[in-house]
Amino acid sequence: MQVTLKIFRYDPEKDKKPHYDAFKMEAEPTDRVLDLLEKAKGYQDGTISFRRSCAHGVCGSDAMRINGMNRLACKTLVQDLGVNKITVEPILGLPILKDLIVDMEPFFDNYRAVTPYFINDEPAPAKERLQSPEDRERFDDTTKCILCGACTTSCPSFWANDQYLGPSAIVNAHRFIFDSRDKGAAERLAVLNDLFGVYRCHTIFNCTLACPREIQITQAIGEVKKAIATGKLD
Amino acid sequence: MKTHQFEVIVVGAGGAGLMAGLYASKTAKTAVISKLYPTRSHTGAAQGGIGAALGNEEEDRTEWHTYDTVKGSDYLGDQDAIEFMCEEAPGIVYELEHMGLPFSRTAEGRIAQRPFGGHTNNETGVPVRRACYAADRTGHMILQTLYQQCVKNNVTFFDEFQVLDMIVVNGKAAGVVTIELATGELHVFHAKAVIFATGGYGRVWEITTNAYANTGDGIAITLRHGIPAEDMEFFQFHPTGIYKMGILITEGVRGEGGVLINDKGERFMAKEEYAPHVKDLASRDVVSRAMYLEMKNGLGIGGKRYLYLDVRPETVNKYAALDGRTNPDGTPYTVTADDILSRLPDIIDFCKTYLGVDPVVDPMPVQPTAHYAMGGIPTNVKGEVVIDKKNTVMPGVYAAGETSCVSVHGSNRLGTNSLLDLVVFGKQAGVNAAEYARGTDFQPLPADPAGPAREQLARLRNSSGAERISTIGTEMKAVMFDHVGVFRTEAGMTEAVEKIRELKERFKHIRLDDRGTVFNMELLNAWELGNLLDIAEVTAVSALTRRESRGAHARDDYPERNDKKWMKHTLAWLQEDGVKLDYKPVTFTKYEPKVRVY
């Protein structure tokens, strides 16, 4: 089938303001949007710039807006879109550096703010710390995060104020708060119990829809809110 | 141009690089440089598990893991290195758990383990549960956990910095030259020790599990500095990639009881000529070859170039009953659709996304896919790079992970041993590089340390031919997949060598569209293609010269292993006029070569 790929373009060395370029090409319904971007870059215009690596939805490099929705270009097939006009634009709320490439540093700053690492200062046993399958299951969903930013940059609260930590940071806090082996929950809940913490979430569900890993993000944020309100982790 | 000074520089931020960075930074001023954000690294795509004889599910022993790895390597692995890795395995898996890695759990709360190809109880010959797993995203968990620990320990990162060159002074490491992708500016990192943890080079082949980023940068750079590459002819084709796309479907599917099926509906791995004992859980080289032969004999599904991987509960239960497979408590092994969903969630997601197939309802179309480099930069067990057949150490240069060749995988790697290799030897490289740095001074930087890198980029940027890099890349991948793939012949490989040389010539006449400095990804891709072409040439020449079949190197014209002539590691040097080869002996401890039967 013939498709038209319309790409957001901005080169800070040349352009005063962004524009769009359209590329016509033959595509299979099962082609990934990333395949189309590669085709356009490889055979029509080598200046098109975007990040990508694994090409199958696990590395988190190629989050972008595809026909208005935050998605991974490597996990979106032409047939999923149901149309042959495809528009790709950078994710919103982060500074645009070139074409589809945005500055991810503010996103990673928010990630680092929630102490996203295991905390347990007790001496470790000779073998593994024990954890029941049920306790392991408690935080399974939030271990899936690949830090692609699709959720955070779909969130109107984040667009309004990028001091809001955003869904991804809260997901990564959740992953440790509800890990029975971890002892840092109080510290993390204090960070999230802040003007720019969980209460900026107004349960709009954009994040949950955007997540390419299908993490129930709004639910995870709700669980963190409840833990703050009740002081209990259950 | 900017200049920085660190005692230890780690290049690459996958499992090996992060482990090296964590350990080196404990005692030395260290920075980790990566062309990707660390969590984008390809370690995150590993699925099935990390091998360690914990014995959590049933009896297991480190010596069995060692022997299985030696046998899996088709006796080309260095046995001292394999012993070291397998002995370190339980301790390092516990260490990962103590870092918070969320392994799946047994009913008793211990780390869960599953069977994997080539891992057996050496007394009964039956597959053993040795792969420690976190659902089917073990690599993702390792990568995330190690990055989290780096954040915790304030490890210094330079993200989206592409390494271009190593600086060598007086025969010792003096640092690296990099380009900052966001600005196009060159940065020199003056260092006492350099650790390459730059991953594999699967992008040489058309159908691959590998990420776009897997372009063998560390190997290409060291080759250009006169350091040989070891055993490059041994590249693993994973049996089960998604048809046409190559996306990895973990061996864990077969570990959970999935089977390969041909067009006649036969579970062909059970045939006498393939692997009548462990069947679908034979070593990867054996399974990929069996698949190739089935397809060659017209038994691909509908006569096409794929087979079915079937993990539907009714299929799993049928063959588990036939095999007499039991649970650790002795009851018959059975699974439900929910068990499959909970143990292989990502596989199910991939199949639904890319194939529209739900593996619980329908079988998955799969074909062998280029997966893993057994060869690479030669090192010893300390992670030190060794540059000749006498294993002479090059001071200050280290390598770890897929980019290195210790050699623990020999001519064929067992599943779960790559994640193990990363953490064991990443740690070794980090510890030993830091110790080396403590006892040595900085080498003086040359007058213009970035000169060669700058010239290299200028040649690419200013080249005014008509060739597109995408065309050259596509032709390279096709010829390598057709002729330096699962099965090889003298004529095919000769053609591949000629073709690669032609492509290298044409590569001198490329034309890039992007003349900018900010995120010039086209320039980066061109530089990476140059690496792939050099590596393809070294791989094809090493393969053409080895006239035997061993592990992943299978030849139609020399179908037997020839220990008398070829029980030796290949060393390949890249020179102006081609590839120079030499060989070094394999290290044996106590395992005599035997015929390999599964």
Side-chain angles (χ1 to χ4, degrees), chain B residues 184-202:
Chain B
E185 189 175 14
L186 293 179
H187 288 244
V188 168
F189 288 84
H190 190 196
K192 295 176 182 175
V194 174
I195 303 172
F196 286 101
T198 47
Y201 52 90

Side-chain angles (χ1 to χ4, degrees), chain B residues 310-327:
Chain B
D310 193 342
V311 75
R312 293 177 293 182
E314 59 272 26
T315 308
V316 170
N317 293 338
K318 174 181 152 192
Y319 287 104
L322 277 173
D323 292 349
R325 181 170 172 182
T326 57
N327 293 312

Side-chain angles (χ1 to χ4, degrees), chain B residues 357-369:
Chain B
V357 164
D358 180 350
V360 175
V361 180
D362 291 301
M364 300 167 251
V366 294
Q367 73 178 127
T369 173

Side-chain angles (χ1 to χ4, degrees), chain B residues 37-56:
Chain B
Y37 274 99
T39 58
R40 315 292 186 223
S41 305
H42 205 54
T43 298
Q47 297 169 356
I50 174 168
L54 304 185
N56 281 356

Side-chain angles (χ1 to χ4, degrees), chain A residues 173-215:
Chain A
H174 180 283
R175 177 252 170 273
F176 290 102
I177 290 167
F178 292 93
D179 184 337
S180 59
R181 302 167 300 167
D182 182 272
K183 306 292 178 201
E187 191 181 318
R188 290 188 201 94
L189 290 172
V191 172
L192 296 170
N193 185 15
D194 175 272
L195 188 59
F196 294 107
V198 286
Y199 299 110
R200 291 271 153 165
C201 168
H202 305 304
T203 59
I204 294 163
F205 284 89
N206 273 10
C207 54
T208 306
L209 285 174
C211 179
R213 306 288 289 150
E214 295 176 10
I215 300 170

Side-chain angles (χ1 to χ4, degrees), chain B residues 296-366:
Chain B
K296 197 177 160 193
N297 293 334
L299 294 173
I301 305 300
K304 292 193 182 148
R305 306 286 300 164
Y306 69 91
L307 293 150
Y308 279 140
L309 175 60
D310 193 342
V311 75
R312 293 177 293 182
E314 59 272 26
T315 308
V316 170
N317 293 338
K318 174 181 152 192
Y319 287 104
L322 277 173
D323 292 349
R325 181 170 172 182
T326 57
N327 293 312
D329 64 5
T331 56
Y333 177 86
T334 59
V335 296
T336 63
D338 282 345
D339 293 334
I340 301 296
L341 278 168
S342 72
R343 291 174 207 165
L344 302 166
D346 282 7
I347 294 307
I348 289 168
D349 179 35
F350 295 151
C351 289
K352 285 183 175 171
T353 301
Y354 299 110
L355 296 166
V357 164
D358 180 350
V360 175
V361 180
D362 291 301
M364 300 167 251
V366 294

Side-chain angles (χ1 to χ4, degrees), chain A residues 6 20 47 122 134 159 180 206:
Chain A
K6 199 172 131 193
Y20 290 83
T47 67
E122 292 162 15
E134 296 72 31
W159 299 338
S180 59
N206 273 10

Side-chain angles (χ1 to χ4, degrees), chain A residues 34-104:
Chain A
L34 179 62
D35 298 325
L36 307 188
L37 280 165
E38 285 290 328
K39 246 189 245 179
K41 182 181 176 67
Y43 298 99
Q44 299 190 45
D45 180 352
T47 67
I48 302 166
S49 299
F50 49 92
R51 294 187 177 104
R52 86 285 191 257
S53 190
C54 78
H56 66 286
V58 297
C59 81
S61 298
D62 62 352
M64 52 188 75
R65 265 186 307 151
I66 300 172
N67 286 355
M69 293 275 288
N70 278 12
R71 295 163 175 267
L72 298 181
C74 62
K75 227 185 156 179
T76 307
L77 308 188
V78 171
Q79 65 193 17
D80 300 339
L81 297 168
V83 288
N84 59 5
K85 233 181 123 180
I86 300 167
T87 304
V88 290
E89 299 162 291
I91 45 180
L92 291 172
L94 294 168
I96 294 164
L97 300 177
K98 184 184 181 187
D99 295 346
L100 302 168
I101 298 175
V102 298
D103 180 3
M104 293 296 286

